[in-house]
Amino acid sequence: MLSLGSGGVKSTKPSFVSYVTPEEIKSEKDPSKQEKHPDLLPGEVEFCSANPILKYTQDDLSQRGVFGTLFCTNFRVTFISDERPQEKKAKTFKNKLYGENDIPLMCVDHIYGVYEEKRKPITGALVKNKYPSKMIIHCKDLRVFQFCLTYSKEEDARKIFQGIAHHCLEEKSLKCVFAFSYMGTPSPGTDLSSISLVDMYFVSAEKQRKQETIMFDSPEDWTWEMKRTKANCRLVIENENFELSQRLPKYFVIPLAIGDLFSYQGKGLPIWCWSHYSGCALFKASFLPVTQEDGDFQKHLDTMINAVAHNHLYSVKTEDLSESLPNIQDIQQSYNKFKQFFLIENSTDFWLSDVKWFSSLESSGWLDIIRQCLQKAVEVVECLEKDNTNVLITEEEGTDLCCVISSLAQIMLDPYYRTLMGFQSLVQKEWVAGCHAFLDRCNRLHLKDKECHSPVFLLFLECVWQLVQQHSPAFQFSETYLTVLSDSVHVPIFSTFLFNSAYHRENVMKAESPLAQSGPLSCPTVWDWSVQFDGKAQNFFFNPLYLEKVKHDRAVRKPHKPKHQRHLSLPSAAFKTPLKKGFFKEEADSLKKMLRVKRLSRWRGSPDAPAATTREFYESWQNRPLDYHGLLLPYLDGPAVRVWMQRYLRWIPEVYILGGGSMAVMTKLMELQNQVQDLKRVLEQRDPSQDAKLDHRPYLQQRLLSFDSSGRLSSSFPFAYTRSRNFKPSFPTALMQSLMLTDSLASQEDEVSSVVSFV
């Protein structure tokens, strides 16, 4: 039986909810009852509605539920209960845009209809036929909603069913997305750092730059990043008007040795990602055009590799990710299998899936794909950290797995990207400015002739979560932040996840701006968290266990080993006599000639060579004292790669841990941490000379989460509060018989439950 999990249904309008069976529902409506409507966002329009609708609960198969009205707007599907709300303390963690009974249209994954007790997936043909007696909606955030339509008027039931199916599943144009109707939001420049969290930072020019989310939409942003990492590369501004290629970013960085940019036609151009302190760097590129002659193709390939090699000591390793990692179709198929184990419609479904839980998860292959991506990132890190060689990763478009691996490698190597603002800047650099096709990969428009959707960005977040849960003190942001970010991908308001490339974004925004009545069209970015959450809720995004670096303000990264000192390789006599003009240049040229064949042939000719050395590199790192502000590698052996429980189990009441879970542990640790801070203040008052030695973190007091003392929280917090229902698991009788469960198991139930509550 599952003993771990988190989840629940979040409530924005607490109410006294009564549970009734269909037989108890009266079809007559109270004529004195005032008709209810949802609070519409700016630009939101109501399409259709139906009442009475029964919203089923997920508790069991007794078909119990809540009576209310179902609405469909151009932003969401929403259900409003007819029960009279009861005053209750407001939730600490509340989304301003949608609540527990709201489903953003882009968040709808699949819709099923029950016809004569048979469950069928809804397609275009079924929409035109008779409406089902029951409609089941599976969401991309893994919520499941079930609505009974038989108590509404036939015309209302047909309209609400067809309206929801049409607006959620049918093909549409981009201009129909709600973001283009949403007006009056803060500008993209509004940042989390300026809302309620500025008190956690020191005030200086360099610090202020690092406490912002760098958008990488200007030459200044790229120049700052090159200076921060000491990159010896060239900033390209020739594509400012997309004259070079519509596939390339507006601004990007390339090796100094690249000559004619127009000959690349937007393909095969090595784009800089990050530079190591030793001088080597990480680059990514798409495949070269296949229409070229064989001779031209090889010449172009050699030119590209030589340009990367010239960046540092004429060394380079090339890696074709399409040969060593699953493709986007494999990723999609694996995730489709994996997510089915968490889309639970009732208790029976849950206990059936629990019988073969681990074997089912393993057979989906999703966790194995996560492990493969982390392993490949470790290999890239080894080349940069241990071998001091340049790395060039390639794939067909250079905007999918290249983004995953390059981002993971930078998080492992650079502690700046483990801060909240640094992580957001990384996503902007590698994914948004790097032209990841969010529109196609997330299947925003439901285009049936293009089978290109795949959860590539979610795969990246999964890998980051593995690092966060293995090395929590190294990360400033929490798993709740990652969960909310994964949910925000499917909120049709933010420009961050709405386009396929920089050219696509700029072209669409220019075309739609004249249609806006209130001036130029401006969609907020997802990093403006004030659009979704207030300051108190944003506190959940921060990890209270984060070990902030307080002594070294300038250095962003400190190497694990001393930099290579050039004079150690020279004869001692060289320092007693004046050096000849050009001495270092001549020696460097000679060194390049010696290393040219050896370094290139080593990596390009031996694809299996890294596998043998990676284990040695990994074990060497494990034997060193762990530095949370230095190199960070994931644990990949055995059960180290785990299920992201907060994201996948938060909506399943059967796995709630009442008064336990990771949030309960986190709360206690935060209380202890604040007690330590109080003791430090006492020591400072007694001995003011100790002030400089103490690690003061005044913002911890402000981030101490305020919990509702009137009731116990479950492991689903902050996404759901514990309801006044029995959390003791109850096996359906028929299921127990089918599984041949013995009386001894039933007698042990209380004992097992008592153990689970302390996990």
Side-chain angles (χ1 to χ4, degrees):
M1 176 168 53
L2 271 177
S3 60
L4 296 175
S6 61
V9 182
K10 56 183 180 179
S11 170
T12 57
K13 296 182 179 180
S15 61
F16 176 78
V17 180
S18 63
Y19 296 98
V20 296
T21 62
E23 291 74 16
E24 296 173 316
I25 296 179
K26 297 180 180 180
S27 58
E28 299 86 356
K29 297 182 65 176
D30 185 358
S32 62
K33 186 183 297 183
Q34 186 176 4
E35 190 174 355
K36 297 181 179 181
H37 291 276
D39 296 328
L40 301 179
L41 297 175
E44 187 177 7
V45 178
E46 182 181 320
F47 288 146
C48 53
S49 64
N51 179 287
I53 296 291
L54 179 65
K55 175 180 176 289
Y56 291 111
T57 66
Q58 292 179 250
D59 294 347
D60 47 40
L61 292 176
S62 63
Q63 302 296 282
R64 303 176 68 86
V66 182
F67 188 59
T69 306
L70 188 62
F71 297 87
C72 179
T73 74
N74 60 338
F75 167 58
R76 56 184 162 160
V77 175
T78 182
F79 176 83
I80 299 181
S81 172
D82 284 346
E83 298 296 333
R84 182 174 299 175
Q86 182 184 31
E87 289 188 6
K88 189 178 179 181
K89 186 177 180 179
K91 287 185 60 175
T92 307
F93 194 73
K94 177 182 177 181
N95 195 308
K96 299 178 183 178
L97 299 178
Y98 64 97
E100 70 161 328
N101 290 320
D102 297 333
I103 314 171
L105 299 184
M106 278 190 178
C107 192
V108 174
D109 196 6
H110 292 95
I111 299 179
Y112 299 90
V114 176
Y115 298 87
E116 299 178 355
E117 299 185 357
K118 292 183 179 180
R119 183 173 176 270
K120 299 179 181 180
I122 298 302
T123 60
L126 287 175
V127 171
K128 299 177 182 178
N129 297 334
K130 183 181 178 181
Y131 66 90
S133 60
K134 182 178 180 181
M135 179 171 57
I136 305 171
I137 300 178
H138 287 184
C139 303
K140 294 177 181 177
D141 61 4
L142 304 175
R143 290 182 295 169
V144 176
F145 291 84
Q146 303 178 65
F147 301 103
C148 177
L149 307 180
T150 57
Y151 297 94
S152 297
K153 294 180 180 179
E154 184 175 348
E155 184 64 22
D156 291 343
R158 180 181 292 105
K159 283 184 178 180
I160 193 67
F161 166 67
Q162 293 179 348
I164 292 174
H166 172 75
H167 292 290
C168 294
L169 302 179
E170 292 298 311
E171 292 188 20
K172 64 183 71 174
S173 64
L174 183 58
K175 66 180 181 181
C176 294
V177 174
F178 178 66
F180 297 99
S181 301
Y182 184 73
M183 294 293 173
T185 56
S187 64
T190 305
D191 210 306
L192 184 146
S193 60
S194 63
I195 298 167
S196 63
L197 306 170
V198 71
D199 54 345
M200 55 177 280
Y201 295 104
F202 297 100
V203 181
S204 68
E206 184 68 12
K207 280 286 181 181
Q208 188 173 1
R209 182 70 173 179
K210 292 174 184 175
Q211 73 186 29
E212 299 173 347
T213 299
I214 310 301
M215 304 303 292
F216 290 96
D217 56 358
S218 68
E220 292 76 19
D221 290 347
W222 286 100
T223 301
W224 179 86
E225 179 70 358
M226 293 172 64
K227 181 180 179 181
R228 189 185 71 86
T229 60
K230 297 179 174 59
N232 185 27
C233 295
R234 167 192 170 192
L235 174 63
V236 176
I237 60 174
E238 286 86 344
N239 202 42
E240 191 169 22
N241 297 318
F242 304 101
E243 296 177 354
L244 288 175
S245 174
Q246 297 176 2
R247 299 189 185 98
L248 292 173
K250 196 171 185 178
Y251 307 102
F252 55 95
V253 179
I254 60 174
L256 291 172
I258 292 291
D260 184 14
L261 293 174
F262 288 90
S263 64
Y264 285 82
Q265 301 175 3
K267 286 279 191 176
L269 190 64
I271 297 179
W272 173 82
C273 300
W274 184 82
S275 287
H276 191 262
Y277 65 85
S278 64
C280 58
L282 173 62
F283 297 85
K284 62 182 178 182
S286 60
F287 287 156
L288 295 166
V290 296
T291 57
Q292 294 186 4
E293 298 292 336
D294 292 342
D296 293 339
F297 179 87
Q298 189 60 43
K299 181 180 179 181
H300 199 148
L301 180 63
D302 291 340
T303 301
M304 178 180 68
I305 294 177
N306 289 337
V308 173
H310 270 95
N311 181 74
H312 178 70
L313 289 181
Y314 214 91
S315 60
V316 62
K317 175 190 175 181
T318 61
E319 181 68 41
D320 182 1
L321 299 181
S322 63
E323 294 182 356
S324 55
L325 293 176
N327 56 38
I328 60 172
Q329 290 79 17
D330 294 335
I331 294 172
Q332 177 66 45
Q333 292 176 7
S334 177
Y335 182 68
N336 284 341
K337 296 177 183 177
F338 181 77
K339 69 182 180 182
Q340 295 305 318
F341 303 110
F342 308 98
L343 293 166
I344 305 299
E345 297 179 9
N346 52 65
S347 297
T348 301
D349 287 349
F350 170 76
W351 294 117
L352 283 172
S353 66
D354 188 46
V355 176
K356 299 181 180 179
W357 176 259
F358 293 107
S359 60
S360 300
L361 293 181
E362 189 67 25
S363 63
S364 71
W366 180 247
L367 295 179
D368 188 57
I369 292 178
I370 295 173
R371 184 182 287 105
Q372 290 181 55
C373 290
L374 289 169
Q375 176 65 38
K376 184 58 61 178
V378 171
E379 293 177 11
V380 171
V381 169
E382 179 193 6
C383 295
L384 295 166
E385 177 75 11
K386 176 186 174 183
D387 301 316
N388 293 339
T389 182
N390 300 293
V391 178
L392 174 64
I393 53 177
T394 62
E395 63 175 331
E396 184 174 358
E397 294 295 332
T399 56
D400 289 309
L401 292 173
C402 278
C403 296
V404 174
I405 302 305
S406 64
S407 299
L408 291 176
Q410 292 175 67
I411 291 175
M412 294 178 191
L413 286 162
D414 194 337
Y416 166 65
Y417 293 130
R418 300 172 210 155
T419 65
L420 189 141
M421 295 301 167
F423 180 78
Q424 294 180 169
S425 301
L426 177 66
V427 174
Q428 278 293 138
K429 181 178 73 169
E430 295 296 325
W431 295 82
V432 182
C435 300
H436 176 67
F438 281 107
L439 185 69
D440 289 344
R441 296 295 178 260
C442 298
N443 197 25
R444 304 284 192 217
L445 307 182
H446 300 282
L447 301 179
K448 296 179 175 57
D449 58 337
K450 294 177 66 177
E451 293 294 332
C452 56
H453 54 281
S454 182
V456 180
F457 185 67
L458 176 61
L459 174 61
F460 165 64
L461 295 182
E462 287 263 18
C463 294
V464 175
W465 181 86
Q466 300 294 333
L467 290 168
V468 170
Q469 63 96 15
Q470 291 178 11
H471 306 290
S472 182
F475 291 87
Q476 188 186 36
F477 51 87
S478 65
E479 71 164 340
T480 299
Y481 167 81
L482 293 175
T483 303
V484 170
L485 183 57
S486 71
D487 292 342
S488 301
V489 172
H490 307 297
V491 179
I493 284 180
F494 308 109
S495 61
T496 310
F497 308 120
L498 204 56
F499 304 100
N500 283 333
S501 65
Y503 170 78
H504 186 213
R505 178 184 299 102
E506 190 163 306
N507 192 42
V508 171
M509 297 296 273
K510 284 183 178 179
E512 295 296 326
S513 289
L515 302 178
Q517 298 179 358
S518 58
L521 188 65
S522 177
C523 296
T525 68
V526 72
W527 316 127
D528 185 0
W529 293 110
S530 63
V531 175
Q532 295 191 77
F533 301 98
D534 60 20
K536 290 184 178 179
Q538 291 176 39
N539 288 335
F540 287 86
F541 294 169
F542 289 86
N543 174 22
L545 302 182
Y546 174 60
L547 295 179
E548 187 174 3
K549 201 170 186 178
V550 294
K551 292 185 178 180
H552 304 281
D553 291 338
R554 293 185 184 180
V556 178
R557 295 172 290 164
K558 285 193 68 178
H560 290 291
K561 52 186 179 182
K563 295 184 179 180
H564 172 68
Q565 298 181 13
R566 189 70 176 86
H567 68 269
L568 295 180
S569 63
L570 300 178
S572 58
F575 301 97
K576 297 180 181 179
T577 58
L579 298 176
K580 297 179 181 179
K581 185 178 181 180
F583 173 82
F584 287 102
K585 182 178 184 304
E586 291 175 3
E587 189 185 56
D589 291 340
S590 176
L591 182 61
K592 287 180 180 179
K593 291 179 181 179
M594 289 189 297
L595 293 176
R596 176 174 182 177
V597 177
K598 294 182 180 180
R599 296 300 286 261
L600 287 176
S601 61
R602 174 188 173 189
W603 294 113
R604 294 176 61 187
S606 305
D608 297 330
T613 60
T614 300
R615 171 57 62 178
E616 180 183 347
F617 169 70
Y618 187 81
E619 292 177 351
S620 174
W621 171 80
Q622 284 186 313
N623 292 331
R624 293 200 303 262
L626 183 58
D627 180 9
Y628 288 117
H629 293 277
L631 177 64
L632 210 64
L633 299 180
Y635 300 109
L636 302 175
D637 295 334
V641 178
R642 300 166 56 190
V643 175
W644 186 354
M645 291 182 293
Q646 185 188 65
R647 182 178 192 274
Y648 291 105
L649 300 179
R650 54 187 161 152
W651 312 125
I652 306 177
E654 286 75 14
V655 297
Y656 290 177
I657 306 175
L658 184 58
S662 60
M663 186 53 67
V665 175
M666 191 69 68
T667 307
K668 177 57 66 175
L669 289 174
M670 292 178 73
E671 293 175 355
L672 293 174
Q673 205 164 15
N674 278 278
Q675 292 177 15
V676 171
Q677 293 298 316
D678 293 339
L679 291 175
K680 288 181 177 180
R681 293 189 186 93
V682 173
L683 291 176
E684 178 193 346
Q685 294 174 357
R686 294 181 178 180
D687 186 3
S689 63
Q690 297 292 322
D691 183 31
K693 301 179 182 180
L694 297 178
D695 177 13
H696 293 289
R697 303 186 187 187
Y699 57 87
L700 284 176
Q701 287 284 359
Q702 300 179 13
R703 292 191 198 163
L704 186 57
L705 311 182
S706 56
F707 299 118
D708 186 359
S709 58
S710 61
R712 297 177 66 191
L713 300 174
S714 76
S715 54
S716 63
F717 190 81
F719 293 95
Y721 282 69
T722 300
R723 297 186 176 184
S724 57
R725 60 175 293 250
N726 185 10
F727 273 76
K728 184 177 179 180
S730 58
F731 287 90
T733 305
L735 178 61
M736 292 180 65
Q737 295 176 351
S738 65
L739 297 178
M740 301 181 66
L741 296 176
T742 62
D743 292 338
S744 61
L745 176 60
S747 64
Q748 295 173 8
E749 184 178 358
D750 291 340
E751 180 181 353
V752 173
S753 300
S754 64
V755 173
V756 170
S757 64
F758 290 96
V759 176

